[in-house]
Amino acid sequence: MVRLRKSALVIAAARQRRRLRESEAAFILLAAIAGLAAGALTNVQQLIAHGIQSLLYGVTINRLSALGMIHHPWKLLALPVGGLMLMLFARGLRNRQRIPVDVVEANALHGGRIPFADNLVIASQTIISNGAGASVGLEAAYAQMGGGVASQLGQWFTLRRGDLRTLVGAGAGGAIGAAFGAPLTGAFYAFEIVIGNYTPAAIAPVMAAALSAVFVTRALGADPYLIATTAGRAFSVSDYLLYALLGLLCALFGMLIMRLVAFTELSVHGWRRIAGWKPVVGGLLLIPLAMLSPQTLSAGHGALHLDLVLRPALSFLAIVLLLKIAASVISLSFGFRGGLFFASLFLGSLIGQIFAGLVNLSPLGAFIDPNDAALVGMAALSVSIVGGPMTLAVLMLETTHDFALMGVVLTATLVSSAFTREMFGYSFSTWRLHLRGSTIRSPRDIGRLMTLTAGRIMRTDWTAVSQDMTVAEFRDRVPLGKTAKVILIDAEGHYRGIVPTAAAFHPDLDETSAVAGLATQSGIVLRRAMDIRSVLKLFDEASADELVVIDDDEQVIGVVTERHARRRYFEELEASQRELFGESG
């Protein structure tokens, strides 16, 4: 009876899951639940990180980066201590055979599937890094936990691939919306940075998650991240041109920062003597930077607000800009974990204020408000590094409520985004994945095509003969009409080329000659693991209509025709399009 009761419960649960997959209203409700969870987790992580900073540095009301100076320099030992904690944490994970999957990678390659342990690893490392004062933000942990919880919900309900990707994006976007108290920002973050496109079917669930997450922040009475406010006014054509120039400048800085992180990371990776102690060494290197300016500590929330209020001298802003870039590069290169979202907002505000100061000092007679320039610089630099022009434009709108500013922000972000894409082609997250050998350039779902390999689409009904055969022996073995092409192999079974059957029956051919002389494409082969795009590229380069697939031992295991490969490719594209527009077909 107990066994029958359990079986009935399993059947009932499966039925409910099926109903949810088929109901749009139920899916929106599930997204709202994911948003509530993401909002709660964002506030919990923020509380833990700030609690660590309070314990280590004694900060209470102010943000760590807003400190005027370090009154007790010995407290900066928290930086290498944090590095030591990360080092011990990494040693505890030594048995793990892979790098944790983040939300962008999960949606691009794995259909939204994220192992829950990966979420805990990324969030823990980020909280330790930020809590110790390293120059990284918590936004990566927020998005990871929000998207990770959504992924677990979606997997439990066995959602379709497209729905699971949408739910992961909704969870990650909800977490970012909760951090800034800005639901539209969270929604656009989901569309542009995690899902990779805007789709009619995703609008309602993503917005439901973002609104739910922000509701949690407001219900808890938590203060969202402060940006700045500005007064409404009209902008002239010359203002638009100046802010477009600022967008271009921010794109150059964004690409420089990403290159610096990559260069330093690769250089540090080669230092064998400190291989296991990199976070500790990084923490020690951050101490003198923090002594010069506490604004290099943490993500920079307090410092951003402080500089906008106090309007410091250009020389001070320039020094802080250089120190903050150095701190961010050191933090990420030496093993601290976190994102560059808010750090890029802070750096962008510094670039904007410096730009405004230089313009206002120039003999051109132009004047731009430093606050406006700071806000435009924040959006433009973040777009270059993080991506998502509409995400940052809407963030500025939701935090300032200034519709006039929206025009120049969009101008600068679009210039920055276009220039970065043209000259660099990556955001910070996809750039780091690229350095690890991935082909990801955006969160768009390429997982289907990556799993559509030569080994999956090959056929195994091929005919093989020895390369030592004569033409006469070949004609006896393979009569006309049996097969169009024959594969030649040597005595060890290694591939040696393809022989068209008709060529062996040419009337002018000497029957005693070796059939190997008729072989073509002897050096052109497919490997089992080659993805469909690589397969099609090789077909184009070889101008072939059929290629063999070999294994690691050079043994022939199958044959792929160009026609079949292209048909399978377009079938997968069509399936992706159906999911994109919410069709179950």
Side-chain angles (χ1 to χ4, degrees), residues 56 75-88 128 132 279-280 283-284 287 336:
L56 296 176
K75 289 185 177 181
L76 291 175
L77 291 173
L79 288 162
V81 169
L84 179 62
M85 293 175 64
L86 286 174
M87 186 188 76
L88 296 174
I128 292 172
V280 178
L284 292 171
I287 290 178
F336 287 97

Side-chain angles (χ1 to χ4, degrees), residues 97-261:
Q97 298 297 316
R98 57 180 180 77
I99 298 172
V101 176
D102 66 24
V103 287
V104 174
E105 183 182 2
N107 259 15
L109 291 179
H110 309 298
R113 294 181 175 273
I114 310 174
F116 192 70
D118 289 9
N119 303 315
L120 298 178
V121 168
I122 291 174
S124 300
Q125 291 175 330
T126 304
I127 289 172
I128 292 172
S129 300
N130 182 272
S135 184
V136 292
L138 288 168
E139 295 77 22
Y142 298 156
Q144 184 70 34
M145 288 302 295
V149 168
S151 178
Q152 294 304 306
L153 280 172
Q155 290 180 62
W156 192 82
F157 282 103
T158 62
L159 296 181
R160 290 184 291 264
R161 184 187 184 95
D163 291 341
L164 182 58
R165 292 183 72 253
T166 298
L167 192 64
V168 168
I176 296 299
F180 289 96
L184 285 176
T185 299
F188 277 101
Y189 182 93
F191 287 127
E192 291 188 312
I193 298 173
V194 184
I195 299 174
N197 46 49
Y198 303 91
T199 63
I203 293 174
V206 167
M207 280 306 305
L211 290 168
S212 299
V214 173
F215 167 78
V216 172
T217 294
R218 292 175 180 172
L220 293 174
D223 293 326
Y225 290 160
L226 294 174
I227 303 294
T229 57
T230 182
R233 97 288 305 131
F235 291 95
S236 65
V237 174
S238 61
D239 291 329
Y240 276 87
L241 293 175
L242 285 171
Y243 284 122
L245 179 61
L246 176 56
L248 183 62
L249 182 65
C250 287
L252 292 171
F253 265 94
M255 291 185 288
L256 173 65
I257 291 169
M258 288 187 278
R259 289 283 188 186
L260 277 175
V261 171

Side-chain angles (χ1 to χ4, degrees), residues 11-30 156-160 163:
I11 293 172
R15 188 179 296 116
Q16 291 302 319
R17 290 172 182 161
R18 187 167 60 251
R19 287 177 180 173
L20 185 142
R21 290 199 304 268
E22 296 170 353
S23 170
E24 184 176 354
F27 183 59
I28 294 171
L29 177 61
L30 183 63
W156 192 82
F157 282 103
T158 62
L159 296 181
R160 290 184 291 264
D163 291 341

Side-chain angles (χ1 to χ4, degrees), residues 17 23 65 75 108-109 170 187 308 334 473 494 546 550 573 584:
R17 290 172 182 161
S23 170
S65 60
K75 289 185 177 181
L109 291 179
L308 290 175
F334 280 82
E473 292 172 333
H494 298 157
E546 191 170 58
I550 62 173
L573 286 181
S584 59

Side-chain angles (χ1 to χ4, degrees), residues 374-386:
L375 292 164
V376 174
M378 290 162 60
L381 185 67
S382 292
V383 164
S384 177
I385 294 176
V386 180

Side-chain angles (χ1 to χ4, degrees), residues 517-565:
L518 304 175
T520 61
Q521 301 169 15
S522 57
I524 306 172
V525 294
L526 300 172
R527 299 283 179 175
R528 185 200 298 267
M530 288 179 68
D531 64 83
I532 188 65
R533 287 176 174 170
S534 301
V535 169
L536 294 178
K537 182 179 179 181
L538 191 56
F539 270 115
D540 290 336
E541 291 174 351
S543 299
D545 57 4
E546 191 170 58
L547 293 173
V548 302
V549 184
I550 62 173
D551 59 16
D552 294 336
D553 297 324
E554 309 297 321
Q555 304 284 325
V556 179
I557 57 174
V559 175
V560 176
T561 63
E562 182 188 24
R563 181 178 179 183
H564 179 65

